[in-house]
Every structure is written in C-alpha cells, then in structure tokens.
Amino acid sequence: MLHHVELWVADLGRAAPQWGWLLERLGCEPYQSWPAGRSWRTGETYVVVEQSSALCPDTAHDRHPHAGGTDHCAAYLENEDGFEVELVAGGM
C-alpha cells in the first residue's frame, strides 16, 4: 500500500490550487496545512505539496511518457512550473 507522496514545488501559493483540485477529484480530502505545505489524504495514504529550495532548475520533463500500452489511456497535466502528472487507466 502506498503510504505517501511528496511533491516539491517552487511556489506553494501557485502549486496548491493547481494540484489540489486534481487530488480532490481523485477522492482525496484536504488534510494538513502549514506555512510551507499542504496535504490531502484518502484513507491512510496522503499527498504533500511542499515548497522547497531542493529543486533541480531547468530540468526538462519527458513530453511523451509511456502510458502502459495500447490497452491503456492516459491524461497528461502540467502546471506553470513544468511539473507533469500522468493519469493512466487500464483495461480500455
């Protein structure tokens, strides 16, 4: 079982609303809030969006990642900082 995922972002004020809506649509509920971060959880699993200086600047992300093959479909979302999330559903 997945325990948690942490997303480090350059600007929390920008990133929290950009990723929060997606997490809530996926069934997560707002969980915790602190000056440098926010979290959402579903069951015992939680996702953290946290502002961090420990980022790699100018890192290019894969524009066409593998999405599980022909029997899967995928949606790709990218925020203003170029951070990408890939949502994949199987058995299509």
Side-chain angles (χ1 to χ4, degrees):
M1 183 168 104
L2 181 64
H3 185 264
H4 75 277
V5 174
E6 292 190 22
L7 304 175
W8 289 357
V9 299
D11 186 316
L12 179 64
R14 189 170 59 223
Q18 289 179 349
W19 297 112
W21 75 268
L22 174 63
L23 295 169
E24 290 175 26
R25 293 289 289 216
L26 292 172
C28 297
E29 296 179 357
Y31 179 46
Q32 296 174 318
S33 178
W34 61 100
R38 305 285 180 276
S39 68
W40 292 259
R41 84 176 194 185
T42 181
E44 297 299 316
T45 302
Y46 62 94
V47 177
V48 173
V49 175
E50 186 169 18
Q51 187 166 321
S52 175
S53 59
L55 300 173
C56 299
D58 302 321
T59 301
H61 297 288
D62 184 358
R63 303 296 292 175
H64 304 283
H66 179 61
T70 58
D71 62 341
H72 292 76
C73 65
Y76 305 95
L77 303 172
E78 184 175 318
N79 75 355
E80 294 175 22
D81 295 320
F83 188 86
E84 181 181 290
V85 64
E86 174 182 292
L87 305 172
V88 180
M92 298 299 176

XYZ file of all heavy atoms in Angstrom:
720
model
N 0.837 -1.189 0.000
C 0.000 0.000 0.000
C 0.877 1.246 0.000
O 1.875 1.302 0.711
C -0.915 -0.008 1.210
C -1.866 1.160 1.229
S -3.154 0.949 2.462
C -2.576 2.064 3.702
N 0.516 2.215 -0.768
C 1.247 3.481 -0.838
C 1.010 4.277 0.446
O -0.126 4.466 0.865
C 0.767 4.278 -2.048
C 1.431 5.613 -2.307
C 2.910 5.434 -2.630
C 0.721 6.333 -3.447
N 2.095 4.709 1.085
C 1.988 5.477 2.323
C 1.793 6.962 2.030
O 0.828 7.572 2.482
C 3.228 5.269 3.187
C 3.129 5.923 4.517
N 3.653 7.163 4.786
C 2.540 5.498 5.663
C 3.409 7.480 6.045
N 2.729 6.479 6.594
N 2.726 7.569 1.267
C 2.562 8.973 0.911
C 3.436 9.333 -0.284
O 4.364 8.612 -0.626
C 2.856 9.891 2.095
C 4.299 10.051 2.426
N 4.976 9.134 3.204
C 5.209 10.991 2.083
C 6.240 9.536 3.342
N 6.405 10.650 2.654
N 3.110 10.463 -0.888
C 3.865 11.042 -1.997
C 4.113 12.497 -1.643
O 3.213 13.178 -1.151
C 3.069 10.973 -3.322
C 3.784 11.706 -4.435
C 2.797 9.531 -3.707
N 5.348 12.970 -1.871
C 5.663 14.376 -1.652
C 6.031 15.021 -2.974
O 6.870 14.502 -3.710
C 6.823 14.526 -0.672
C 6.453 14.109 0.729
C 7.518 14.471 1.754
O 8.336 15.384 1.492
O 7.520 13.847 2.818
N 5.400 16.150 -3.273
C 5.717 16.930 -4.459
C 6.391 18.213 -3.993
O 5.786 19.008 -3.273
C 4.435 17.274 -5.232
C 3.554 16.107 -5.648
C 2.276 16.619 -6.289
C 4.309 15.191 -6.585
N 7.644 18.404 -4.390
C 8.354 19.635 -4.033
C 8.118 20.644 -5.135
O 8.289 20.345 -6.318
C 9.841 19.367 -3.877
C 10.182 18.577 -2.658
C 9.342 18.139 -1.683
C 11.478 18.124 -2.287
N 10.022 17.449 -0.727
C 11.346 17.419 -1.078
C 12.728 18.241 -2.859
C 12.428 16.843 -0.438
C 13.799 17.655 -2.213
C 13.655 16.982 -1.011
N 7.725 21.831 -4.747
C 7.377 22.877 -5.707
C 8.138 24.158 -5.392
O 8.586 24.369 -4.263
C 5.858 23.141 -5.707
C 5.090 21.885 -6.109
C 5.384 23.644 -4.352
N 8.270 25.012 -6.385
C 8.972 26.276 -6.209
C 8.086 27.333 -5.557
O 8.578 28.208 -4.848
C 9.472 26.787 -7.563
N 6.775 27.279 -5.783
C 5.853 28.304 -5.291
C 4.580 27.639 -4.774
O 3.719 27.247 -5.563
C 5.540 29.273 -6.430
C 4.698 30.451 -5.986
O 3.711 30.251 -5.239
O 5.010 31.580 -6.391
N 4.453 27.512 -3.464
C 3.306 26.848 -2.863
C 1.993 27.555 -3.190
O 0.994 26.907 -3.483
C 3.471 26.745 -1.348
C 2.302 26.087 -0.616
C 2.157 24.627 -1.040
C 2.476 26.214 0.882
N 2.003 28.884 -3.158
C 0.781 29.637 -3.436
C 0.229 29.356 -4.825
O -0.981 29.380 -5.037
N 1.092 29.090 -5.749
C 0.685 28.762 -7.117
C 0.361 27.276 -7.250
O -0.616 26.895 -7.877
C 1.804 29.165 -8.083
C 1.439 29.078 -9.525
C 2.486 29.713 -10.413
N 3.795 29.083 -10.255
C 4.936 29.751 -10.174
N 4.948 31.059 -10.215
N 6.080 29.113 -10.054
N 1.166 26.420 -6.637
C 1.026 24.975 -6.825
C -0.159 24.361 -6.080
O -0.792 23.445 -6.594
C 2.316 24.279 -6.406
N -0.456 24.832 -4.880
C -1.522 24.205 -4.088
C -2.867 24.196 -4.814
O -3.507 23.148 -4.905
C -1.633 24.860 -2.718
N -3.318 25.319 -5.362
C -4.590 25.248 -6.089
C -4.485 24.489 -7.410
O -5.436 23.845 -7.835
C -4.973 26.705 -6.319
C -3.741 27.504 -6.121
C -2.855 26.694 -5.218
N -3.309 24.525 -8.038
C -3.139 23.836 -9.314
C -3.186 22.326 -9.161
O -3.614 21.622 -10.075
C -1.829 24.241 -9.980
C -1.857 25.657 -10.493
C -0.551 26.066 -11.136
O 0.457 25.377 -11.039
N -0.560 27.208 -11.789
N -2.735 21.778 -8.023
C -2.766 20.332 -7.810
C -3.877 19.905 -6.861
O -4.347 18.784 -6.917
C -1.402 19.839 -7.314
C -0.348 20.073 -8.335
C 0.696 20.935 -8.259
C -0.253 19.460 -9.631
N 1.434 20.897 -9.414
C 0.874 19.997 -10.268
C -1.024 18.520 -10.308
C 1.251 19.621 -11.559
C -0.640 18.146 -11.590
C 0.480 18.691 -12.199
N -4.319 20.810 -5.981
C -5.365 20.467 -5.021
C -6.664 20.034 -5.672
O -7.291 19.059 -5.251
N -7.087 20.731 -6.720
C -8.347 20.367 -7.378
C -8.268 18.951 -7.936
O -9.234 18.197 -7.860
C -8.713 21.362 -8.485
C -7.878 21.206 -9.729
C -6.720 21.859 -10.029
C -8.124 20.312 -10.818
N -6.229 21.422 -11.234
C -7.082 20.485 -11.747
C -9.129 19.385 -11.098
C -7.004 19.753 -12.929
C -9.052 18.663 -12.289
C -8.000 18.857 -13.182
N -7.102 18.579 -8.499
C -6.948 17.247 -9.070
C -7.000 16.187 -7.969
O -7.692 15.170 -8.097
C -5.625 17.143 -9.829
C -5.283 15.752 -10.351
C -6.311 15.283 -11.370
C -3.888 15.753 -10.953
N -6.293 16.426 -6.880
C -6.288 15.471 -5.776
C -7.694 15.276 -5.216
O -8.103 14.159 -4.908
C -5.316 15.928 -4.693
C -3.850 15.948 -5.132
C -2.997 16.657 -4.090
C -3.351 14.541 -5.387
N -8.459 16.364 -5.113
C -9.824 16.262 -4.606
C -10.720 15.508 -5.587
O -11.563 14.709 -5.179
C -10.363 17.643 -4.272
C -9.653 18.213 -3.040
C -10.035 19.636 -2.702
O -11.174 20.050 -3.058
O -9.206 20.336 -2.087
N -10.525 15.706 -6.879
C -11.301 14.962 -7.882
C -10.960 13.477 -7.846
O -11.774 12.641 -8.215
C -11.051 15.516 -9.284
C -11.568 16.920 -9.522
C -13.052 16.933 -9.578
N -13.482 16.298 -10.821
C -14.508 16.670 -11.524
N -15.212 17.699 -11.131
N -14.839 16.033 -12.617
N -9.738 13.142 -7.405
C -9.320 11.748 -7.291
C -9.741 11.116 -5.961
O -9.399 9.981 -5.673
C -7.797 11.636 -7.459
C -7.288 11.949 -8.867
C -5.770 12.003 -8.869
C -7.807 10.932 -9.878
N -10.486 11.881 -5.151
C -11.028 11.329 -3.916
C -10.284 11.697 -2.651
O -10.640 11.231 -1.571
N -9.257 12.518 -2.752
C -8.520 12.952 -1.560
C -9.237 14.128 -0.906
O -9.902 14.917 -1.578
C -7.096 13.375 -1.934
S -6.088 12.058 -2.617
N -9.064 14.247 0.387
C -9.637 15.363 1.134
C -8.510 16.194 1.715
O -7.469 15.652 2.096
C -10.518 14.846 2.270
C -11.719 14.074 1.788
C -12.576 13.557 2.932
O -12.203 13.755 4.115
O -13.607 12.944 2.644
N -8.691 17.538 1.809
C -7.665 18.355 2.469
C -7.381 17.784 3.857
O -8.302 17.388 4.582
C -8.310 19.735 2.554
C -9.279 19.757 1.411
C -9.812 18.339 1.336
N -6.094 17.730 4.212
C -5.693 17.065 5.454
C -4.957 18.010 6.389
O -5.415 18.286 7.481
C -4.854 15.840 5.101
C -4.316 15.037 6.255
C -5.113 14.685 7.331
C -3.007 14.606 6.254
C -4.619 13.923 8.379
C -2.498 13.841 7.291
C -3.295 13.508 8.349
O -2.797 12.759 9.378
N -3.796 18.510 5.964
C -2.999 19.389 6.817
C -2.560 20.618 6.033
O -2.478 20.592 4.812
C -1.766 18.663 7.330
C -2.094 17.487 8.234
C -0.855 16.702 8.613
O 0.010 16.457 7.787
N -0.783 16.297 9.870
N -2.238 21.681 6.784
C -1.769 22.920 6.177
C -0.732 23.539 7.101
O -0.929 23.581 8.313
C -2.954 23.875 5.999
O -2.528 25.092 5.449
N 0.393 23.990 6.555
C 1.445 24.665 7.311
C 2.072 25.688 6.374
O 1.779 25.695 5.179
C 2.458 23.678 7.894
C 3.205 22.834 6.912
C 4.466 23.035 6.446
C 2.742 21.652 6.259
N 4.824 22.067 5.553
C 3.765 21.196 5.421
C 1.541 20.931 6.289
C 3.637 20.060 4.626
C 1.429 19.806 5.503
C 2.471 19.381 4.696
N 2.905 26.598 6.883
C 3.406 27.686 6.039
C 4.062 27.249 4.729
O 3.915 27.924 3.719
C 4.417 28.402 6.946
C 3.901 28.153 8.322
C 3.346 26.742 8.282
N 4.755 26.120 4.720
C 5.454 25.692 3.502
C 4.764 24.535 2.785
O 5.305 24.009 1.822
C 6.894 25.301 3.827
N 3.569 24.119 3.234
C 2.965 22.974 2.575
C 1.494 22.766 2.844
O 0.895 23.399 3.717
N 0.933 21.871 2.056
C -0.449 21.422 2.192
C -0.451 19.915 1.952
O 0.390 19.397 1.233
C -1.372 22.058 1.149
C -1.365 23.567 1.093
C -2.126 24.180 2.270
N -2.107 25.627 2.190
C -1.122 26.411 2.623
N -0.043 25.877 3.147
N -1.186 27.712 2.527
N -1.438 19.225 2.517
C -1.561 17.799 2.227
C -3.024 17.431 2.038
O -3.926 18.107 2.528
C -0.920 16.947 3.332
O -1.652 17.048 4.528
N -3.228 16.356 1.304
C -4.530 15.767 1.032
C -4.405 14.283 1.306
O -3.351 13.706 1.088
C -4.940 15.979 -0.433
C -5.223 17.392 -0.791
C -6.466 17.965 -0.915
C -4.297 18.429 -1.105
N -6.349 19.280 -1.272
C -5.023 19.596 -1.395
C -2.895 18.491 -1.156
C -4.416 20.787 -1.738
C -2.290 19.686 -1.499
C -3.041 20.817 -1.775
N -5.503 13.648 1.760
C -5.396 12.218 2.015
C -6.672 11.483 1.635
O -7.756 12.055 1.576
C -5.022 11.936 3.449
C -6.131 11.923 4.431
C -5.607 11.535 5.789
N -6.725 11.211 6.665
C -6.614 10.927 7.923
N -5.439 10.937 8.488
N -7.663 10.636 8.630
N -6.463 10.218 1.397
C -7.554 9.276 1.195
C -7.170 8.018 1.956
O -6.094 7.457 1.740
C -7.816 8.996 -0.302
O -8.905 8.080 -0.409
C -6.605 8.473 -1.030
N -7.984 7.646 2.920
C -7.632 6.531 3.785
C -6.352 6.843 4.540
O -6.194 7.919 5.101
N -5.409 5.919 4.513
C -4.128 6.106 5.194
C -3.056 6.695 4.278
O -1.935 6.934 4.711
C -3.639 4.770 5.759
C -4.554 4.193 6.824
C -4.680 5.113 8.027
O -3.663 5.653 8.503
O -5.829 5.306 8.493
N -3.387 6.913 3.012
C -2.423 7.446 2.043
C -2.607 8.952 1.918
O -3.731 9.446 1.866
C -2.638 6.786 0.663
O -2.504 5.373 0.810
C -1.636 7.290 -0.350
N -1.487 9.682 1.875
C -1.593 11.125 1.721
C -0.581 11.650 0.710
O 0.424 11.015 0.416
C -1.463 11.852 3.062
C -0.145 11.676 3.770
C 0.885 12.600 3.605
C 0.069 10.598 4.626
C 2.095 12.455 4.269
C 1.265 10.442 5.284
C 2.280 11.370 5.108
O 3.475 11.217 5.757
N -0.913 12.825 0.164
C -0.056 13.509 -0.806
C 0.271 14.879 -0.241
O -0.614 15.599 0.219
C -0.754 13.665 -2.173
C 0.121 14.431 -3.151
C -1.134 12.299 -2.739
N 1.555 15.228 -0.270
C 2.038 16.514 0.233
C 2.516 17.363 -0.940
O 3.229 16.876 -1.812
C 3.222 16.305 1.210
C 3.841 17.643 1.605
C 2.779 15.527 2.427
N 2.109 18.624 -0.955
C 2.659 19.616 -1.870
C 3.406 20.593 -0.984
O 2.815 21.246 -0.132
C 1.555 20.326 -2.682
C 2.140 21.439 -3.540
C 0.792 19.328 -3.537
N 4.738 20.647 -1.143
C 5.566 21.431 -0.230
C 6.550 22.310 -0.997
O 7.220 21.845 -1.910
C 6.328 20.495 0.700
C 7.112 21.213 1.768
C 7.642 20.254 2.823
O 7.698 19.040 2.583
O 8.015 20.744 3.890
N 6.620 23.567 -0.593
C 7.590 24.474 -1.194
C 8.973 24.115 -0.691
O 9.183 23.948 0.503
C 7.262 25.925 -0.836
C 8.142 26.924 -1.562
C 7.588 28.332 -1.464
O 6.379 28.528 -1.542
N 8.466 29.296 -1.281
N 9.919 23.948 -1.616
C 11.265 23.515 -1.242
C 12.296 24.187 -2.126
O 12.077 24.381 -3.318
C 11.386 22.001 -1.381
O 12.704 21.588 -1.136
N 13.431 24.481 -1.534
C 14.545 25.028 -2.314
C 15.390 23.897 -2.910
O 16.302 24.145 -3.692
C 15.418 25.929 -1.440
O 15.921 25.174 -0.345
N 15.075 22.651 -2.575
C 15.838 21.495 -3.050
C 15.296 21.005 -4.401
O 14.860 19.878 -4.542
C 15.785 20.372 -2.025
N 15.285 21.895 -5.366
C 14.778 21.581 -6.701
C 15.913 21.639 -7.709
O 16.913 22.314 -7.501
C 13.692 22.575 -7.116
C 12.462 22.639 -6.211
C 11.559 23.789 -6.637
C 11.694 21.339 -6.268
N 15.740 20.953 -8.822
C 16.709 20.993 -9.924
C 16.193 21.983 -10.967
O 15.225 21.678 -11.668
C 16.871 19.617 -10.566
S 17.483 18.377 -9.430
N 16.800 23.151 -11.089
C 16.304 24.135 -12.053
C 16.527 23.680 -13.489
O 17.445 22.929 -13.793
C 17.131 25.377 -11.734
C 18.383 24.850 -11.122
C 17.975 23.598 -10.389
N 15.645 24.143 -14.355
C 15.752 23.904 -15.793
C 15.824 22.427 -16.154
O 16.495 22.045 -17.101
C 16.961 24.644 -16.374
C 16.873 26.132 -16.125
O 15.758 26.685 -16.226
O 17.905 26.734 -15.813
N 15.134 21.590 -15.403
C 15.098 20.167 -15.717
C 13.986 19.928 -16.729
O 12.831 20.269 -16.480
C 14.824 19.331 -14.456
O 15.856 19.601 -13.508
C 14.792 17.853 -14.776
N 14.327 19.355 -17.855
C 13.327 19.062 -18.878
C 12.593 17.776 -18.509
O 13.205 16.792 -18.110
C 14.007 18.912 -20.231
N 11.260 17.789 -18.618
C 10.453 16.613 -18.338
C 10.135 15.898 -19.646
O 10.017 16.507 -20.701
C 9.155 17.010 -17.624
C 9.403 17.626 -16.294
N 9.831 16.902 -15.205
C 9.324 18.899 -15.875
C 9.969 17.700 -14.165
N 9.675 18.921 -14.548
N 9.983 14.606 -19.564
C 9.617 13.780 -20.735
C 8.267 14.234 -21.280
O 7.272 14.161 -20.580
C 9.564 12.320 -20.267
C 9.283 11.370 -21.400
O 9.081 11.817 -22.548
O 9.258 10.163 -21.121
N 8.203 14.689 -22.523
C 6.979 15.206 -23.122
C 6.044 14.093 -23.593
O 4.888 14.337 -23.859
C 7.304 16.128 -24.305
C 8.206 17.304 -23.948
C 7.574 18.242 -22.980
N 6.460 18.924 -23.618
C 5.643 19.739 -23.002
N 5.799 19.985 -21.739
N 4.647 20.313 -23.634
N 6.531 12.868 -23.776
C 5.707 11.769 -24.278
C 5.997 10.481 -23.507
O 6.525 9.530 -24.060
C 5.966 11.553 -25.774
C 5.733 12.786 -26.579
N 4.466 13.228 -26.898
C 6.596 13.687 -27.091
C 4.568 14.344 -27.594
N 5.836 14.648 -27.718
N 5.645 10.428 -22.222
C 5.955 9.233 -21.429
C 5.114 8.034 -21.843
O 4.038 8.173 -22.400
C 5.643 9.664 -20.001
C 4.704 10.803 -20.144
C 5.009 11.472 -21.451
N 5.632 6.857 -21.551
C 4.916 5.607 -21.822
C 3.679 5.550 -20.936
O 3.743 5.802 -19.746
C 5.848 4.433 -21.512
C 5.208 3.106 -21.739
N 4.743 2.721 -22.969
C 4.949 2.097 -20.889
C 4.230 1.505 -22.876
N 4.343 1.101 -21.618
N 2.557 5.200 -21.531
C 1.300 5.220 -20.791
C 0.711 3.840 -20.567
O -0.487 3.685 -20.451
C 0.303 6.106 -21.519
N 1.521 2.796 -20.559
C 1.024 1.476 -20.221
C 0.672 0.594 -21.396
O 0.276 -0.537 -21.219
N 0.769 1.087 -22.608
C 0.490 0.264 -23.774
C -0.850 0.580 -24.414
O -1.581 1.476 -23.987
N -1.181 -0.197 -25.435
C -2.369 0.095 -26.241
C -3.682 -0.134 -25.523
O -4.705 0.398 -25.936
C -2.343 -0.748 -27.533
O -2.289 -2.131 -27.170
C -1.152 -0.391 -28.405
N -3.698 -0.931 -24.454
C -4.948 -1.152 -23.730
C -5.125 -0.193 -22.545
O -5.926 -0.423 -21.659
C -5.054 -2.606 -23.264
C -3.948 -3.007 -22.306
O -2.911 -2.317 -22.269
O -4.114 -4.014 -21.598
N -4.371 0.885 -22.549
C -4.464 1.913 -21.519
C -4.743 3.263 -22.180
O -4.437 3.463 -23.350
C -3.147 2.032 -20.740
C -2.851 0.837 -19.907
N -2.397 -0.339 -20.430
C -2.953 0.643 -18.572
C -2.221 -1.219 -19.462
N -2.552 -0.648 -18.326
N -5.309 4.160 -21.407
C -5.411 5.540 -21.886
C -4.814 6.434 -20.802
O -4.770 6.064 -19.629
C -6.840 5.933 -22.218
S -7.963 5.960 -20.831
N -4.323 7.603 -21.209
C -3.634 8.476 -20.261
C -4.025 9.926 -20.495
O -4.369 10.326 -21.604
C -2.126 8.321 -20.414
N -3.973 10.689 -19.428
C -4.141 12.142 -19.488
C -2.889 12.741 -18.873
O -2.379 12.255 -17.864
C -5.369 12.574 -18.692
N -2.376 13.778 -19.498
C -1.180 14.453 -19.015
C -1.558 15.878 -18.640
O -2.159 16.588 -19.430
C -0.096 14.488 -20.101
C 0.241 13.124 -20.631
C -0.358 12.637 -21.784
C 1.146 12.309 -19.966
C -0.051 11.378 -22.263
C 1.455 11.046 -20.434
C 0.852 10.586 -21.592
O 1.145 9.344 -22.058
N -1.201 16.282 -17.435
C -1.447 17.637 -16.962
C -0.119 18.235 -16.552
O 0.724 17.561 -15.973
C -2.403 17.630 -15.768
C -3.759 16.963 -16.001
C -4.517 16.856 -14.687
C -4.569 17.736 -17.016
N 0.069 19.501 -16.839
C 1.319 20.185 -16.493
C 0.987 21.539 -15.905
O 0.139 22.263 -16.425
C 2.165 20.350 -17.758
C 3.523 20.951 -17.496
C 4.383 20.988 -18.756
O 4.388 20.008 -19.516
O 5.028 22.031 -18.970
N 1.673 21.897 -14.796
C 1.415 23.208 -14.202
C 2.381 24.247 -14.759
O 3.202 23.956 -15.632
C 1.442 23.145 -12.666
C 2.827 23.026 -12.087
O 3.825 22.888 -12.794
N 2.909 23.084 -10.773
N 2.294 25.474 -14.252
C 3.106 26.583 -14.758
C 4.603 26.372 -14.590
O 5.402 26.951 -15.299
C 2.712 27.887 -14.058
C 1.315 28.341 -14.383
C 0.916 29.565 -13.588
O 1.806 30.302 -13.117
O -0.295 29.777 -13.431
N 5.001 25.528 -13.633
C 6.413 25.259 -13.390
C 6.940 24.107 -14.230
O 8.096 23.719 -14.100
C 6.648 24.958 -11.905
C 6.357 26.159 -11.031
O 6.722 27.283 -11.440
O 5.771 25.982 -9.954
N 6.085 23.520 -15.072
C 6.509 22.418 -15.916
C 6.445 21.069 -15.237
O 6.904 20.074 -15.784
N 5.829 21.001 -14.051
C 5.688 19.723 -13.364
C 4.527 18.983 -13.998
O 3.455 19.525 -14.178
C 5.439 19.942 -11.874
C 5.468 18.679 -11.081
C 6.666 18.182 -10.598
C 4.306 17.966 -10.841
C 6.697 16.996 -9.877
C 4.328 16.788 -10.124
C 5.533 16.310 -9.641
N 4.731 17.729 -14.341
C 3.723 16.953 -15.056
C 3.209 15.801 -14.206
O 3.965 15.167 -13.482
C 4.358 16.397 -16.330
C 3.412 15.584 -17.172
C 4.107 15.042 -18.399
O 4.437 15.821 -19.299
O 4.334 13.820 -18.430
N 1.921 15.547 -14.325
C 1.326 14.361 -13.713
C 0.670 13.564 -14.833
O 0.092 14.123 -15.753
C 0.310 14.720 -12.604
C -0.872 15.459 -13.146
C -0.121 13.482 -11.839
N 0.828 12.257 -14.765
C 0.258 11.354 -15.756
C -0.773 10.473 -15.063
O -0.455 9.812 -14.082
C 1.366 10.493 -16.348
C 0.875 9.420 -17.297
C 2.025 8.556 -17.808
O 2.852 9.087 -18.559
O 2.088 7.374 -17.434
N -2.002 10.504 -15.538
C -3.066 9.670 -15.002
C -3.332 8.569 -16.013
O -3.636 8.860 -17.172
C -4.344 10.485 -14.783
C -4.187 11.724 -13.903
C -5.460 12.542 -13.940
C -3.838 11.319 -12.501
N -3.215 7.318 -15.603
C -3.351 6.193 -16.526
C -4.443 5.257 -16.041
O -4.478 4.889 -14.870
C -2.017 5.415 -16.642
C -2.164 4.250 -17.601
C -0.894 6.339 -17.081
N -5.324 4.870 -16.954
C -6.365 3.892 -16.674
C -6.149 2.685 -17.574
O -5.890 2.836 -18.763
C -7.748 4.500 -16.913
N -6.237 1.502 -17.010
C -6.006 0.285 -17.777
C -7.262 -0.436 -18.176
O -8.363 -0.088 -17.734
N -7.095 -1.442 -19.022
C -8.196 -2.297 -19.420
C -9.214 -1.639 -20.315
O -10.393 -1.973 -20.277
N -8.783 -0.671 -21.111
C -9.711 0.026 -22.001
C -10.011 -0.786 -23.239
O -9.265 -1.481 -23.769
C -9.144 1.382 -22.424
C -8.933 2.301 -21.282
S -10.524 2.583 -20.533
C -10.169 3.559 -19.184
